[in-house]
Amino acid sequence: TAGITQAPTSQILAAGRSMTLRCTQDMRHNAMYWYRQDLGLGLRLIHYSNTAGTTGKGEVPDGYSVSRANTDDFPLTLASAVPSQTSVYFCASSDRGGGAYNEQFFGPGTRLTVL
Amino acid sequence: GQNIDQPTEMTATEGAIVQINCTYQTSGFNGLFWYQQHAGEAPTFLSYNVLDGLEEKGRFSSFLSRSKGYSYLLLKELQMKDSASYLCAVMDSNYQLIWGAGTKLIIKP
């Protein structure tokens, strides 16, 4: 079972360019999430989706957009990248039930450098 | 505001026991999670506490006191492979996870 896959693994991007980070899960989880992880900081939620067709803003949504056309895919788009978006990006999913079913499963991450 | 505090780094000896503390202040509480993250890898789930008390899972145990806003992760019989960052996260009233910055655990032979 693949679980969650992310692409690309890493990317160097020129400032001002756009980019889409891809995320696909095969666990039929309802909820999906995008986080960024920066040194010395906890994981910060960018956007989330509780179910296909719906999305919501997290703690740090500015400069990012998402869509959730189906259960499996949750792409993250940077419309015009800036150096402060240099980070490691993790996609995660959960079954969105109660208790331990809220465990989030993480993809392997995308390391993005914006120059 | 919402806040999760845990030590930045800890060092322990192979075979020993280490306790990693986590204190939290959040808008609501729907459980506390501990995750392990090896360098360059994704976080992986270790434990979940929603009621006060100790949850034991092999060499790892997690404790929660909701009244004190406090949890700890206890690792016994430390192995070199336990060298990793340990992330504390609280699920708030909106069922979103609020994450601590993580504790980097260094195991020495």
Side-chain angles (χ1 to χ4, degrees):
Chain A
T1 302
I4 300 182
T5 59
Q6 292 184 236
T9 302
S10 64
Q11 182 75 43
I12 298 174
L13 187 66
R17 301 295 296 268
S18 67
M19 178 172 184
T20 296
L21 280 61
R22 301 184 297 280
C23 174
T24 300
Q25 54 106 356
D26 64 1
M27 297 176 282
R28 308 302 294 171
H29 283 168
N30 290 318
M32 296 187 75
Y33 313 84
W34 274 106
Y35 292 96
R36 60 178 290 172
Q37 188 175 41
D38 302 290
L39 195 64
L41 300 176
L43 288 161
R44 290 183 292 169
L45 184 65
I46 304 170
H47 285 286
Y48 65 93
S49 169
N50 287 334
T51 188
T54 68
T55 62
K57 293 182 179 180
E59 178 186 357
V60 288
D62 294 343
Y64 307 95
S65 63
V66 292
S67 61
R68 186 87 183 279
N70 56 60
T71 297
D72 299 343
D73 300 301
F74 191 43
L76 176 74
T77 298
L78 288 69
S80 179
V82 294
S84 62
Q85 292 178 310
T86 294
S87 187
V88 180
Y89 291 85
F90 286 103
C91 179
S93 71
S94 71
D95 200 31
R96 194 64 188 172
Y101 293 103
N102 277 316
E103 173 191 349
Q104 293 186 11
F105 296 83
F106 285 79
T110 294
R111 185 174 296 274
L112 179 66
T113 302
V114 182
L115 300 175
Chain B
Q2 307 204 91
N3 195 50
I4 311 285
D5 284 319
Q6 47 181 136
T8 302
E9 186 174 297
M10 298 181 71
T11 301
T13 304
E14 189 178 15
I17 299 173
V18 70
Q19 177 175 312
I20 302 174
N21 295 326
C22 171
T23 58
Y24 64 89
Q25 289 179 301
T26 57
S27 303
F29 180 84
N30 281 300
L32 185 144
F33 293 78
W34 284 96
Y35 279 75
Q36 181 189 59
Q37 186 177 26
H38 285 101
E41 298 183 7
T44 55
F45 172 79
L46 284 178
S47 69
Y48 172 76
N49 295 69
V50 67
L51 299 176
D52 290 351
L54 188 69
E55 295 280 344
E56 297 185 79
K57 190 184 294 185
R59 293 189 300 114
F60 293 6
S61 302
S62 56
F63 172 83
L64 174 67
S65 169
R66 289 172 297 171
S67 63
K68 295 182 179 178
Y70 168 70
S71 173
Y72 67 73
L73 180 69
L74 190 71
L75 292 74
K76 303 176 185 177
E77 301 169 16
L78 287 170
Q79 302 175 9
M80 297 304 292
K81 67 178 182 179
D82 297 330
S83 292
S85 289
Y86 292 86
L87 313 181
C88 175
V90 172
M91 185 158 285
D92 69 9
S93 55
N94 294 318
Y95 292 94
Q96 302 296 351
L97 283 178
I98 309 301
W99 295 82
T103 298
K104 182 178 180 180
L105 179 62
I106 300 168
I107 310 296
K108 295 185 175 180

